[in-house]
Amino acid sequence: MSKTSLSSPDRNWWRAPIGLDEIVWISIAFIWGIFMTFMMVYWYYAGDQNQVGESYRITPDAFAAKMETMIEKYQVGEEFDTPVVAVPEGGDIYFGAQQFSFPVIPKLKVGKTYRFHLSSLDVNHGFSIQPINVNLQLVPGYDYILKLTPNSTGDFHVVCNEFCGIGHHEMLGKIIVTD
Amino acid sequence: MSNASDFRTCPDTGLKVHKPAEALIKANAVVAVVFLLVGGLMGLLVALTRMPAIHLLPADLFYLALTAHGADILVVWIIFFEIAILYFVSAVLLQCRLATPKLAWVAFFLMLIGAALANYAVLIGEATVMFTSYVPLKAHPFFYLGLILFAVGALIGCFIFLATLVIAKDEKTYEGSLNLVTFGGLIACIIAIFTIATGAVILIPTWLWSMDIIGDIDAELYRLIWWGFGHSSQQINVSAQIAVWYAIGALVFGAKPLSEKVSRTAFLLYLFALQLGSAHHLLSDPATSFAWRAVNTSYAMYLAVLGSMIHALTVPGAIEAAQRRKGLTNGLFEWLRKAPWSNPVFSGMFLSLVLFGFLGGTTGVTMSVQQINMIIHNTIFVPGHFHGTVAVGTTLAFMALTYWLLPVLWRRELFMPKAAQWSTWLFGIGMGGLAIFHMAAGHLGVARRHWDMTFADAAMQFGYSDTVHLFMAIAGVFALIGSVGALFYILVAVGTILMGKKRPDTAPATTSEESVEAATTYGSAVPEHGKGWECPGSMVLVLVFMVFLVVYYFANWKYLSTVWGVS
């Protein structure tokens, strides 16, 4: 039987020359990999979309208390049994989901920046802003702080896109962005 | 110890086959196919529920079926088949006895009992937590115990593979270095040991927690370690499937690696970098720094991606070089046009290679970019991506190999060979189409693991665009096409084993021997290795792939730049 990929290679296989095809392709692929690495670093410093943010540990009870305080202070209305809160620009919005609802409807101004505190009071949930399509994970025990800056006005919906139990598909929230 | 009566000589390949090893290969492969049937059926139910016009199952059964589909396909089908592959590439390819066949049967039954136990917990409705079972969602203890038993069995299988390599070396059944395919199996095995150990690290405490023996488990830590198991187990698949690609190149065309050094280094890159992939699932999570995310998600500057891109050239390149040695030297693609497209062993392998690269590879590289991840995280883009890897890549490659193994190991003609021919195309096109339309719907925001995208039960009203409904309907049609392909595969496999026509024990000579003759006749028409272009057609294919990847990659950056500011 002649040599195939199923037979042991010649003794000196490590010293056999590498073909031109392989050298050219490996070079292209390697340079592309380096480029993609630096593209990520570049966007971290220069881009407007970076979801690393800040994170702290927090108990669900402590988070729920902060959420209560925020609602008391900034509630401006109610829709679908959910408080609508208008936190001033740069303020802290506590957003702790639980089975099977989102806690508040934030009312934001376009072009202004808000500190969203994302968390869960029970199991993992998803925070998917539609139709913008920004998707983040809500993890119990963590206060995940991201500064969000809406660039368009209208009513946006929040979909839970992490399976959280049989009522998962009933979870729907809202964010209002005005001029 | 073994004696001569434990071996038979294979009339097709001339290989000396250890009978106890052969029995184990058959048993593991058969059970794998049974679980492909169970898991595939669950997948079909899921797909029909996500088709807006049909919406088949009620919510609780949908989530149950989705949990079973994930566990049975991603773990049970694939790992049973991989154990069969590991025994094949060690005992059969190295022509030695398998180490401790009795223990291998213990491993087999542990895996079988584990799989049955986990399925039982899911099917009684006590483990509807998805395959990922993120804490603090809690499943029945049998679910975790089943996975643990399965993992222990698989781990024993891995060590039997390693022990068999030691026996082969010790008994000098081969000379020099391992062949490339067994080497690929070895890489898969080492990754598997890491993967299974990681699974134990997280599943054992979770099992204890499910019985209230220990307290809370940190939800983010769980995600980190679980994905060390969940993502890395897909890296076993990549290594195993690429070993299968090389094997089929050798079996059908008599192909040998362009350069042993390059192909083996590409496998080694997997070993060094793939375990970092756990981070892909934590990019839109709290708790980790940018540096951690960037290093891990890129597999340390895309080293594992480099490995895959190397194989993308060298797998078809080895076939092209073999075909050119046979005289198929006209133009760039005569070697490919005149390939045996009606042979499911080849068509399955080549479709697997092309679809895995274009659908699974390009999207995997793009979605794992730290920032781009947030526009696809937990959307149905993700299942789209992994049907582009695990379904059209791994599963299709294993189907192709099965069509070679069936006549050789069972000594029977393929049952319904036409169905076998159709199956690879139907499954490849079906699952490939499903992957594309899921990814398209994901780019438009559709959530994964979601029963009702019309949100009929929610207090508020929200609906995705009509385009999305159309995409999900088309995805469902492709799921049906793929299911027919999978069903043909299962029918052919079971039919061949039970009622295939017996083959004589003196079969005609194999294609690889013909290729020896061809190579000596036409050999001079091809440049010697290391001088000039050996595989210009494959080079063109990978360059087209590169252009596609670059365009897709930048289109995603463009999309990301238009969403809300996040910092």
mmCIF file of all heavy atoms in Angstrom, chain B residues 251-266:
data_model
loop_
_atom_site.group_PDB
_atom_site.id
_atom_site.type_symbol
_atom_site.label_atom_id
_atom_site.label_comp_id
_atom_site.label_asym_id
_atom_site.label_seq_id
_atom_site.Cartn_x
_atom_site.Cartn_y
_atom_site.Cartn_z
ATOM 1 N N LEU B 251 -9.185 7.126 1.890
ATOM 2 C CA LEU B 251 -9.922 5.913 1.514
ATOM 3 C C LEU B 251 -10.469 5.999 0.096
ATOM 4 O O LEU B 251 -10.472 5.025 -0.639
ATOM 5 C CB LEU B 251 -11.085 5.681 2.489
ATOM 6 C CG LEU B 251 -10.669 5.340 3.921
ATOM 7 C CD1 LEU B 251 -11.859 5.441 4.858
ATOM 8 C CD2 LEU B 251 -10.046 3.958 3.975
ATOM 9 N N VAL B 252 -10.954 7.171 -0.291
ATOM 10 C CA VAL B 252 -11.597 7.302 -1.602
ATOM 11 C C VAL B 252 -10.578 7.623 -2.694
ATOM 12 O O VAL B 252 -10.703 7.149 -3.814
ATOM 13 C CB VAL B 252 -12.708 8.377 -1.556
ATOM 14 C CG1 VAL B 252 -13.319 8.590 -2.934
ATOM 15 C CG2 VAL B 252 -13.790 7.975 -0.559
ATOM 16 N N PHE B 253 -9.582 8.449 -2.361
ATOM 17 C CA PHE B 253 -8.649 8.922 -3.388
ATOM 18 C C PHE B 253 -7.214 8.433 -3.190
ATOM 19 O O PHE B 253 -6.355 8.711 -4.008
ATOM 20 C CB PHE B 253 -8.613 10.458 -3.408
ATOM 21 C CG PHE B 253 -9.951 11.086 -3.676
ATOM 22 C CD1 PHE B 253 -10.755 11.523 -2.641
ATOM 23 C CD2 PHE B 253 -10.413 11.225 -4.978
ATOM 24 C CE1 PHE B 253 -11.984 12.096 -2.883
ATOM 25 C CE2 PHE B 253 -11.646 11.798 -5.228
ATOM 26 C CZ PHE B 253 -12.437 12.235 -4.184
ATOM 27 N N GLY B 254 -6.936 7.771 -2.080
ATOM 28 C CA GLY B 254 -5.546 7.452 -1.766
ATOM 29 C C GLY B 254 -4.744 8.705 -1.440
ATOM 30 O O GLY B 254 -3.538 8.759 -1.670
ATOM 31 N N ALA B 255 -5.430 9.737 -0.915
ATOM 32 C CA ALA B 255 -4.745 11.007 -0.652
ATOM 33 C C ALA B 255 -3.781 10.884 0.516
ATOM 34 O O ALA B 255 -4.029 10.163 1.476
ATOM 35 C CB ALA B 255 -5.773 12.101 -0.353
ATOM 36 N N LYS B 256 -2.671 11.598 0.396
ATOM 37 C CA LYS B 256 -1.755 11.727 1.533
ATOM 38 C C LYS B 256 -1.594 13.217 1.828
ATOM 39 O O LYS B 256 -1.832 14.052 0.947
ATOM 40 C CB LYS B 256 -0.413 11.072 1.223
ATOM 41 C CG LYS B 256 0.327 11.723 0.090
ATOM 42 C CD LYS B 256 1.700 11.112 -0.078
ATOM 43 C CE LYS B 256 2.452 11.875 -1.150
ATOM 44 N NZ LYS B 256 3.724 11.396 -1.507
ATOM 45 N N PRO B 257 -1.214 13.564 3.045
ATOM 46 C CA PRO B 257 -1.115 14.989 3.394
ATOM 47 C C PRO B 257 -0.128 15.701 2.471
ATOM 48 O O PRO B 257 0.880 15.121 2.067
ATOM 49 C CB PRO B 257 -0.591 14.970 4.821
ATOM 50 C CG PRO B 257 -0.804 13.582 5.319
ATOM 51 C CD PRO B 257 -0.810 12.683 4.143
ATOM 52 N N LEU B 258 -0.432 16.960 2.138
ATOM 53 C CA LEU B 258 0.525 17.757 1.372
ATOM 54 C C LEU B 258 1.818 17.830 2.148
ATOM 55 O O LEU B 258 2.893 17.584 1.641
ATOM 56 C CB LEU B 258 -0.016 19.174 1.150
ATOM 57 C CG LEU B 258 -1.294 19.319 0.326
ATOM 58 C CD1 LEU B 258 -1.783 20.759 0.378
ATOM 59 C CD2 LEU B 258 -1.050 18.886 -1.106
ATOM 60 N N SER B 259 1.682 18.195 3.419
ATOM 61 C CA SER B 259 2.835 18.248 4.303
ATOM 62 C C SER B 259 2.395 17.731 5.663
ATOM 63 O O SER B 259 1.468 18.265 6.260
ATOM 64 C CB SER B 259 3.351 19.687 4.434
ATOM 65 O OG SER B 259 4.040 19.835 5.659
ATOM 66 N N GLU B 260 3.025 16.667 6.115
ATOM 67 C CA GLU B 260 2.701 16.111 7.436
ATOM 68 C C GLU B 260 2.900 17.166 8.512
ATOM 69 O O GLU B 260 2.118 17.298 9.453
ATOM 70 C CB GLU B 260 3.605 14.908 7.738
ATOM 71 C CG GLU B 260 3.390 13.722 6.817
ATOM 72 C CD GLU B 260 2.221 12.838 7.251
ATOM 73 O OE1 GLU B 260 1.588 13.132 8.284
ATOM 74 O OE2 GLU B 260 1.933 11.863 6.530
ATOM 75 N N LYS B 261 3.961 17.945 8.338
ATOM 76 C CA LYS B 261 4.324 18.939 9.347
ATOM 77 C C LYS B 261 3.212 19.976 9.502
ATOM 78 O O LYS B 261 2.802 20.311 10.603
ATOM 79 C CB LYS B 261 5.643 19.604 8.934
ATOM 80 C CG LYS B 261 6.154 20.650 9.893
ATOM 81 C CD LYS B 261 7.651 20.927 9.705
ATOM 82 C CE LYS B 261 8.007 21.364 8.312
ATOM 83 N NZ LYS B 261 9.449 21.709 8.206
ATOM 84 N N VAL B 262 2.714 20.462 8.366
ATOM 85 C CA VAL B 262 1.695 21.511 8.404
ATOM 86 C C VAL B 262 0.394 20.972 8.993
ATOM 87 O O VAL B 262 -0.203 21.571 9.896
ATOM 88 C CB VAL B 262 1.455 22.087 6.988
ATOM 89 C CG1 VAL B 262 0.215 22.963 6.956
ATOM 90 C CG2 VAL B 262 2.675 22.875 6.541
ATOM 91 N N SER B 263 -0.071 19.818 8.501
ATOM 92 C CA SER B 263 -1.355 19.288 8.968
ATOM 93 C C SER B 263 -1.300 18.948 10.454
ATOM 94 O O SER B 263 -2.258 19.171 11.191
ATOM 95 C CB SER B 263 -1.739 18.053 8.159
ATOM 96 O OG SER B 263 -1.999 18.430 6.825
ATOM 97 N N ARG B 264 -0.187 18.412 10.913
ATOM 98 C CA ARG B 264 -0.086 18.060 12.336
ATOM 99 C C ARG B 264 0.009 19.310 13.208
ATOM 100 O O ARG B 264 -0.547 19.358 14.301
ATOM 101 C CB ARG B 264 1.130 17.151 12.568
ATOM 102 C CG ARG B 264 0.867 15.739 12.114
ATOM 103 C CD ARG B 264 2.137 14.933 11.961
ATOM 104 N NE ARG B 264 1.860 13.801 11.092
ATOM 105 C CZ ARG B 264 1.751 12.534 11.525
ATOM 106 N NH1 ARG B 264 1.948 12.250 12.783
ATOM 107 N NH2 ARG B 264 1.464 11.579 10.680
ATOM 108 N N THR B 265 0.734 20.312 12.713
ATOM 109 C CA THR B 265 0.826 21.551 13.488
ATOM 110 C C THR B 265 -0.561 22.174 13.622
ATOM 111 O O THR B 265 -0.908 22.705 14.682
ATOM 112 C CB THR B 265 1.800 22.536 12.812
ATOM 113 O OG1 THR B 265 3.037 21.858 12.614
ATOM 114 C CG2 THR B 265 2.028 23.761 13.664
ATOM 115 N N ALA B 266 -1.350 22.079 12.556
ATOM 116 C CA ALA B 266 -2.711 22.626 12.619
ATOM 117 C C ALA B 266 -3.515 21.916 13.714
ATOM 118 O O ALA B 266 -4.253 22.556 14.467
ATOM 119 C CB ALA B 266 -3.396 22.488 11.263
#
